[in-house]
Amino acid sequence: MIDPAEPLPMNDPQRTHFEVVLSSLENALLRIEELARGAAADQRVLSTLAPDLPPGFAARAGPPIESVRATVRDLTAAMRLESRSTSSFRTVRALLTSQIVQLEDSEAKRLRGYGPVDPRLAAALNPALESMRADLGAIREALEHP
């Protein structure tokens, strides 16, 4: 059993490793709970989530999830780990930028690496990609200039 009051002998790189590992574990537990509660209205077209968790899963998973969280709290205290704040602003901006770049890299002329590109593809595809990039840019603008 971990005694949170008793510091564990660790160096800084070891602490950093556990800050990342345990933070990832916390995120995974949160996602498991979200899925166990049932997916909220999902507007994705290309990716659907099958509601195939067994009946009663949320109730059965709750106690072990809380046990893991308690151990994470104890380890965090015993290892003297630092809590890190994640910026919603920077996360949203990074997501938007990443998606804009992926859309830019998907224009018809850049698909040649996947095989011959029908010349008619650019006329249909590129305006749609540009429209989505513009909309993502508008979201980024709303973020950066409220």
Side-chain angles (χ1 to χ4, degrees), residues 15 19 76 79-85:
R15 274 196 250 336
E19 287 170 356
T76 297
M79 292 179 177
R80 306 304 190 247
L81 302 181
E82 304 261 338
S83 175
R84 296 176 193 251
S85 178

Side-chain angles (χ1 to χ4, degrees), residues 58-73:
R60 288 190 312 277
I65 287 173
E66 286 310 312
S67 177
V68 171
R69 282 196 174 116
T71 303
V72 167
R73 282 190 296 274

Side-chain angles (χ1 to χ4, degrees), residues 41-146:
D42 192 338
Q43 299 189 17
R44 293 179 293 177
V45 177
L46 293 173
S47 179
T48 58
L49 190 59
D52 56 356
L53 291 173
F57 171 75
R60 288 190 312 277
I65 287 173
E66 286 310 312
S67 177
V68 171
R69 282 196 174 116
T71 303
V72 167
R73 282 190 296 274
D74 290 348
L75 284 171
T76 297
M79 292 179 177
R80 306 304 190 247
L81 302 181
E82 304 261 338
S83 175
R84 296 176 193 251
S85 178
T86 302
S87 166
S88 297
F89 178 90
R90 289 192 336 237
T91 300
V92 169
R93 185 176 56 194
L95 287 168
L96 289 167
T97 300
S98 172
Q99 295 307 308
I100 289 169
V101 168
Q102 284 188 14
L103 290 174
E104 288 171 352
D105 289 344
S106 297
E107 290 181 349
K109 68 182 178 187
R110 297 190 178 180
L111 295 178
R112 291 185 192 119
Y114 299 98
V117 177
D118 187 307
R120 297 170 292 180
L121 180 60
L125 177 64
N126 290 353
L129 296 177
E130 176 55 37
S131 173
M132 289 189 290
R133 284 196 314 263
D135 288 339
L136 293 175
I139 297 168
R140 187 171 55 192
E141 185 68 22
L143 174 70
E144 293 176 352
H145 301 96

